[in-house]
mmCIF file of all heavy atoms in Angstrom:
data_model
loop_
_atom_site.group_PDB
_atom_site.id
_atom_site.type_symbol
_atom_site.label_atom_id
_atom_site.label_comp_id
_atom_site.label_asym_id
_atom_site.label_seq_id
_atom_site.Cartn_x
_atom_site.Cartn_y
_atom_site.Cartn_z
ATOM 1 N N VAL A 43 5.965 16.740 -1.122
ATOM 2 C CA VAL A 43 5.887 15.294 -0.890
ATOM 3 C C VAL A 43 5.291 15.079 0.433
ATOM 4 O O VAL A 43 5.660 15.716 1.462
ATOM 5 C CB VAL A 43 7.366 14.685 -0.886
ATOM 6 C CG1 VAL A 43 7.307 13.223 -0.402
ATOM 7 C CG2 VAL A 43 7.890 14.759 -2.378
ATOM 8 N N MET A 47 0.746 8.139 7.399
ATOM 9 C CA MET A 47 0.873 7.175 8.413
ATOM 10 C C MET A 47 -0.459 6.833 9.005
ATOM 11 O O MET A 47 -1.390 7.688 8.946
ATOM 12 C CB MET A 47 1.842 7.720 9.560
ATOM 13 C CG MET A 47 1.355 8.973 10.193
ATOM 14 S SD MET A 47 2.610 9.564 11.341
ATOM 15 C CE MET A 47 1.520 10.774 12.247
ATOM 16 N N VAL A 61 -1.910 16.977 0.103
ATOM 17 C CA VAL A 61 -1.569 17.471 -1.300
ATOM 18 C C VAL A 61 -2.799 18.183 -1.889
ATOM 19 O O VAL A 61 -2.560 19.193 -2.612
ATOM 20 C CB VAL A 61 -1.167 16.177 -2.136
ATOM 21 C CG1 VAL A 61 -1.264 16.508 -3.609
ATOM 22 C CG2 VAL A 61 0.207 15.809 -1.730
ATOM 23 N N ILE A 69 -2.548 31.393 -5.889
ATOM 24 C CA ILE A 69 -1.286 31.836 -6.094
ATOM 25 C C ILE A 69 -1.206 33.328 -6.151
ATOM 26 O O ILE A 69 -1.821 33.968 -6.999
ATOM 27 C CB ILE A 69 -0.623 31.265 -7.412
ATOM 28 C CG1 ILE A 69 -0.607 29.707 -7.283
ATOM 29 C CG2 ILE A 69 0.756 31.781 -7.714
ATOM 30 C CD1 ILE A 69 0.325 29.170 -6.198
ATOM 31 N N LEU A 73 5.952 35.559 -2.397
ATOM 32 C CA LEU A 73 6.477 34.402 -1.808
ATOM 33 C C LEU A 73 6.085 34.266 -0.332
ATOM 34 O O LEU A 73 5.747 33.186 0.115
ATOM 35 C CB LEU A 73 8.082 34.480 -1.945
ATOM 36 C CG LEU A 73 8.812 33.196 -1.351
ATOM 37 C CD1 LEU A 73 8.360 31.979 -2.087
ATOM 38 C CD2 LEU A 73 10.329 33.452 -1.553
ATOM 39 N N GLN A 89 -6.399 19.794 11.678
ATOM 40 C CA GLN A 89 -7.610 19.700 12.425
ATOM 41 C C GLN A 89 -8.604 18.733 11.820
ATOM 42 O O GLN A 89 -9.319 17.964 12.475
ATOM 43 C CB GLN A 89 -8.300 21.089 12.597
ATOM 44 C CG GLN A 89 -7.506 22.051 13.536
ATOM 45 C CD GLN A 89 -7.361 21.428 14.961
ATOM 46 O OE1 GLN A 89 -8.309 21.008 15.507
ATOM 47 N NE2 GLN A 89 -6.127 21.504 15.444
ATOM 48 N N PHE A 121 8.712 24.460 3.501
ATOM 49 C CA PHE A 121 7.905 24.282 4.680
ATOM 50 C C PHE A 121 7.798 22.861 4.951
ATOM 51 O O PHE A 121 7.721 22.038 3.992
ATOM 52 C CB PHE A 121 6.576 24.978 4.548
ATOM 53 C CG PHE A 121 5.736 24.524 3.403
ATOM 54 C CD1 PHE A 121 4.850 23.495 3.565
ATOM 55 C CD2 PHE A 121 5.857 25.088 2.179
ATOM 56 C CE1 PHE A 121 4.075 23.043 2.448
ATOM 57 C CE2 PHE A 121 5.129 24.649 1.106
ATOM 58 C CZ PHE A 121 4.251 23.594 1.227
ATOM 59 N N TRP A 122 7.756 22.370 6.227
ATOM 60 C CA TRP A 122 7.753 20.989 6.553
ATOM 61 C C TRP A 122 7.279 20.658 7.927
ATOM 62 O O TRP A 122 7.372 21.523 8.863
ATOM 63 C CB TRP A 122 9.140 20.355 6.234
ATOM 64 C CG TRP A 122 10.142 20.509 7.337
ATOM 65 C CD1 TRP A 122 10.482 19.643 8.318
ATOM 66 C CD2 TRP A 122 10.960 21.727 7.543
ATOM 67 N NE1 TRP A 122 11.460 20.150 9.111
ATOM 68 C CE2 TRP A 122 11.796 21.436 8.631
ATOM 69 C CE3 TRP A 122 11.122 22.943 6.895
ATOM 70 C CZ2 TRP A 122 12.724 22.369 9.155
ATOM 71 C CZ3 TRP A 122 12.062 23.805 7.366
ATOM 72 C CH2 TRP A 122 12.828 23.509 8.520
ATOM 73 N N ALA A 128 13.975 18.114 2.540
ATOM 74 C CA ALA A 128 14.402 18.980 1.374
ATOM 75 C C ALA A 128 15.916 19.161 1.367
ATOM 76 O O ALA A 128 16.466 19.472 2.385
ATOM 77 C CB ALA A 128 13.721 20.312 1.398
ATOM 78 N N ASN A 167 12.026 5.212 13.367
ATOM 79 C CA ASN A 167 10.820 5.543 12.639
ATOM 80 C C ASN A 167 9.818 6.380 13.412
ATOM 81 O O ASN A 167 8.727 6.659 13.004
ATOM 82 C CB ASN A 167 10.098 4.215 12.216
ATOM 83 C CG ASN A 167 9.658 3.416 13.401
ATOM 84 O OD1 ASN A 167 10.207 3.553 14.492
ATOM 85 N ND2 ASN A 167 8.645 2.568 13.212
ATOM 86 N N VAL A 173 1.378 16.326 10.284
ATOM 87 C CA VAL A 173 0.051 16.842 10.070
ATOM 88 C C VAL A 173 -0.960 15.801 10.522
ATOM 89 O O VAL A 173 -0.951 14.637 10.066
ATOM 90 C CB VAL A 173 -0.244 17.192 8.579
ATOM 91 C CG1 VAL A 173 -1.601 17.884 8.462
ATOM 92 C CG2 VAL A 173 0.939 18.103 8.095
ATOM 93 N N VAL A 184 11.991 27.561 5.998
ATOM 94 C CA VAL A 184 13.353 28.041 5.724
ATOM 95 C C VAL A 184 13.418 28.582 4.358
ATOM 96 O O VAL A 184 12.616 28.130 3.492
ATOM 97 C CB VAL A 184 14.424 26.939 5.977
ATOM 98 C CG1 VAL A 184 14.254 25.805 4.913
ATOM 99 C CG2 VAL A 184 15.791 27.476 6.061
#
Side-chain angles (χ1 to χ4, degrees):
V43 170
M47 60 187 194
V61 163
I69 298 299
L73 184 58
Q89 291 302 313
F121 57 91
W122 79 98
N167 64 336
V173 184
V184 68

